[in-house]
Amino acid sequence: MAERSFAKEVRKLKIGEGETFSGEGILALTKALLEAGVGYVGGYQGAPISHLMDVLADAEEILGELDVRYEANASEAAAAAMLAASVHYPIRGAVTFKGAVGVNVASDALANLSSSGVTGGALVIIGEDYGEGSSIMQERSHAFAMKSQMWLLDPRPNLPSIVQSVHQGFELSEATNTPVMLMVRIRSCHVTGSFTARDNKRPPFTVKDALANPRSDYSRVVLPPMSYMQEQDKIKNRWPAAQTYIREHGLNEFFGPDEAPVGIVMQGGMYNGVIRALQRLGLADIHGDTDIPLYVLNVTYPLVNDEFLEFCEGKSSILVVEEGQPEFIEQALGSMLYRAGSSVELHGKDMLPMAGEYTGQVMLDGLEAFLKKAAPELLPARLRAPNSEQKPALPDLSKTVPIRPPGFCTGCPERPIFAAIKMTEMERGKHQIAGDIGCHLFATLPPFEIGGSTMGYGLGPASNAAFDGGGDKRSISILGDGGFWHNGLSSSIGNAVYNKSDGVIVIVDNFYSAATGGQDILSSRAENATKATGHPIADAVRGVGVKWVRQIDRTYDVPKMREILNDALTTDHVGPKVIVASSECMLNKQRREKPLMNKAISEGRRVEKPRFGVDEDVCTGDHACIRLSGCPSLSLKKLDDPLRDDPVASIDQSCVGCGNCGEVADAAVLCPSFYRADVVHNPGRFERLIGNFTSRVIQWLQDRRSRGRLEFARS
């Protein structure tokens, strides 16, 4: 069950020539692929590109009508390898995955694909996840394009430019026999707008046609001596062909006046930020008409020497707007100027930060600093004043706004797993714990503070390999179900079996690839019309040789989790100990059940909703439940009682009734203050009678207690 359904939106994908297509960037990308005659598509989910996979899945019927093969790949490497279909056959293929981490995983396949070259157009759509909205290490995909010599497109973030880049990407790939990477940033994926559509195109040569007429060509196999010849082909043929095609077909764009003392070169994805900064400086209008010449690199690799040098003619200074580090583009442009003997001054990272996201304020400050130095006469008089650089100091909000780190959702079934581990550590001492990519990595933060490393998706147990040789305490590693099927089964579990590792591996199974939006995986328990689900993780680990396997199907049972953990840490068994802790992702469960429940209530049917609360009179206010749970629905409440200074625990309206707080309290032998109440909607006649009677009794008892307290106070 994906995070959201695009079942309604995908109907737009059928519109034809001349009609206006409106929607998100993700939908526009899909429409562009169909218009371009793509023959097969695949990929692996990951922000900000997850929704593209969801759209493709919802549009599978439309893809089938056009004979387009769709596959949700097991990993980014599998997706990149899928593009092998374009090596020998004139079929256009496209795959998609998250930026830096995706190309990390896919690098082997991408390198081989680029070396052998392609016959059909091959497009790798990269969801670039850089900046403060990112959840990964801060790296750029640009380096992989340079390393493997794949052309890299970075279109302006508007729908017509994004759609055009898909068509141009395929054409550039076919003209140069080279795979192309198309980078779409977070804002490009979710930008909304419109463009004039074309008809969807059935691929002229399909994967079925290829199967009927198999081809092979030894010159495209990456083996000596062909691998040496492929490198020469890249330099002597493909690269010059790419530069010629880019220039002749105008893939890069120029805006502003032909003559000016300065100019700005930028990645296509930075265009909106640059234009907005120029507007604020009074040098551009809302339509994008600018007083400063702009050279927009919709293709950031390869760069076109002649095109850049012509842009520099008649200018004294150039600013390069390149987000991220290292400054690959700035270095390359500086080399061009040096070799050409040009006297043009090149600025970039001396005016803009070396690292970090180029936000609106960062862009404004950088462009203002550049223009003050290189062409102050272009700035309004108010900005040319000597003291114009002195801006009011921004307040330090860190002292007034509380830190809001990422954390588990309300009712998350992973929370009790880490509560059990924390209780186990209280009893047995601190253990060496390795984490993995996924929601469970939040356990490294308060209140759990469990684990302190992550080496890659599916590599949690592998990153503990050095500690699995035996010792006073066994190591513990965490692995999610998405990471397990992505890479963990072979690289972590298989590795542990082969090396007879002695550690404990906890596989968090929440039925979906939850962190990326709830996409189905092999072990999902929901039926899927087009994918094979229902393959238990426990069976898979036994299949590669794990002998000690324990399955728990309700992670909220904290005492049971503690018991299994203690068993794993103390057993005499030699070899890896695997615990599969299964409970459905609460977000997906709520998305599925809430509409059904609301419908039942509106139809007048009887519905029970469990809710938990805290008895204020019983709660001691030690807050141990919060320290062992950290659920967002658990908060503090100040009592009016003058004899009680400490606030008590309280459960707010966001509670989903998972019962974890009560389970933790029971397992930790904390207090009996938690209670469960079942809220009944549309109760029957007898229930209403009982409810009215009990309400009156409770009200009478409360009134009697209040009168007694009042009489005591008067005496």
Side-chain angles (χ1 to χ4, degrees), residues 17-55:
E17 182 74 33
E19 296 183 72
T20 299
F21 186 100
S22 300
E24 266 194 330
I26 288 294
L27 283 162
L29 275 169
T30 312
K31 174 62 176 166
L33 290 172
L34 298 180
E35 292 177 352
V38 70
Y40 62 96
V41 288
Y44 190 82
Q45 60 271 3
I49 212 70
S50 298
H51 284 167
L52 179 54
M53 294 298 294
D54 297 337
V55 169

Side-chain angles (χ1 to χ4, degrees), residues 272-286 359-365 367-368 371 379-380 382-383 391 394:
N272 287 5
V274 170
I275 283 293
R276 177 57 181 150
L278 290 174
Q279 287 176 14
R280 295 173 68 185
L281 292 171
L283 297 172
D285 62 21
I286 60 172
T359 62
Q361 189 62 47
V362 168
M363 197 79 82
L364 176 64
D365 293 342
L367 265 63
E368 184 180 339
L371 292 170
L379 289 170
R382 61 182 175 81
L383 295 176
K391 297 182 176 65
L394 294 173

Side-chain angles (χ1 to χ4, degrees), residues 126-148:
I126 301 294
E128 193 73 353
D129 193 13
Y130 181 84
E132 295 179 5
S134 172
S135 61
I136 61 168
M137 79 290 288
Q138 296 295 277
E139 290 188 355
R140 299 172 63 188
S141 303
H142 195 109
F144 279 85
M146 296 172 63
K147 176 188 76 67
S148 297

Side-chain angles (χ1 to χ4, degrees), residues 369-410:
F370 166 68
L371 292 170
K372 280 183 176 179
K373 177 178 177 61
E377 67 278 4
L378 296 177
L379 289 170
R382 61 182 175 81
L383 295 176
R384 280 182 260 145
N387 61 352
S388 64
E389 293 186 10
Q390 299 176 1
K391 297 182 176 65
L394 294 173
D396 184 3
L397 297 180
S398 64
K399 293 182 171 59
T400 55
V401 178
I403 296 173
R404 188 173 180 265
F408 296 109
C409 302
T410 301

Side-chain angles (χ1 to χ4, degrees), residues 336-644:
M336 291 181 197
L337 291 173
Y338 176 78
R339 292 179 181 181
S342 173
S343 60
V344 172
E345 290 187 7
L346 189 68
H347 297 278
K349 295 299 185 182
D350 57 336
M351 299 292 176
L352 290 156
M354 175 63 77
E357 185 176 356
Y358 283 2
T359 62
Q361 189 62 47
V362 168
M363 197 79 82
L364 176 64
D365 293 342
L367 265 63
E368 184 180 339
F370 166 68
L371 292 170
K372 280 183 176 179
K373 177 178 177 61
E377 67 278 4
L378 296 177
L379 289 170
R382 61 182 175 81
L383 295 176
R384 280 182 260 145
N387 61 352
S388 64
E389 293 186 10
Q390 299 176 1
K391 297 182 176 65
L394 294 173
D396 184 3
L397 297 180
S398 64
K399 293 182 171 59
T400 55
V401 178
I403 296 173
R404 188 173 180 265
F408 296 109
C409 302
T410 301
C412 176
E414 300 186 18
R415 193 185 305 279
I417 297 172
F418 296 104
I421 294 175
K422 189 168 185 177
M423 292 177 192
T424 302
E425 285 199 311
M426 289 177 180
E427 178 184 344
R428 309 187 63 85
K430 191 171 179 62
H431 285 65
Q432 165 59 36
I433 300 178
D436 205 297
I437 303 298
C439 297
H440 41 275
L441 196 57
F442 298 148
T444 60
L445 302 171
F448 302 110
E449 298 177 312
I450 290 172
S453 67
T454 174
M455 289 292 110
Y457 201 28
L459 298 178
S463 64
N464 248 1
F467 305 101
D468 283 346
D472 293 338
K473 299 176 188 172
R474 285 178 173 141
S475 66
I476 301 173
S477 52
I478 315 297
L479 179 61
D481 48 359
F484 172 83
W485 292 114
H486 176 276
N487 191 32
L489 179 58
S490 59
S491 296
S492 279
I493 306 298
N495 180 70
V497 171
Y498 181 70
N499 289 288
K500 296 183 178 181
S501 300
D502 191 45
V504 176
I505 301 170
V506 180
I507 300 177
V508 180
D509 172 24
N510 44 31
F511 301 4
Y512 312 94
S513 186
T516 58
Q519 292 81 8
D520 278 332
I521 50 179
L522 277 163
S523 52
S524 294
R525 303 192 184 188
E527 292 186 3
N528 189 310
T530 62
K531 302 290 180 287
T533 55
H535 302 283
I537 291 175
D539 289 353
V541 298
R542 290 189 185 100
V544 296
V546 179
K547 305 300 182 185
W548 196 102
V549 183
R550 299 292 183 271
Q551 173 79 45
I552 179 169
D553 278 330
R554 185 175 176 273
T555 60
Y556 299 103
D557 189 344
V558 177
K560 184 67 174 177
M561 278 298 310
R562 286 181 68 189
E563 179 186 337
I564 294 175
L565 277 166
N566 277 309
D567 190 14
L569 292 169
T570 57
T571 180
D572 293 333
H573 176 80
V574 177
K577 273 67 67 176
V578 174
I579 301 170
V580 183
S582 303
S583 275
E584 184 178 8
C585 168
M586 184 56 73
L587 275 180
N588 278 295
K589 185 176 180 179
Q590 293 295 315
R591 289 190 187 109
R592 184 183 71 254
E593 292 186 349
K594 273 188 175 181
L596 298 176
M597 194 173 292
N598 292 336
K599 182 181 179 182
I601 293 172
S602 66
E603 292 174 352
R605 286 182 279 158
R606 183 183 182 279
V607 174
E608 285 189 15
K609 286 186 178 182
R611 291 295 305 274
F612 283 77
V614 175
D615 190 327
E616 298 173 2
D617 293 331
V618 178
C619 178
T620 61
D622 65 354
H623 312 146
C625 54
I626 295 176
R627 293 194 297 273
L628 280 171
S629 168
C631 180
S633 68
L634 268 175
S635 58
L636 299 177
K637 181 179 180 181
K638 183 72 174 175
L639 297 178
D640 294 331
D641 190 341
L643 300 178
R644 300 185 64 179

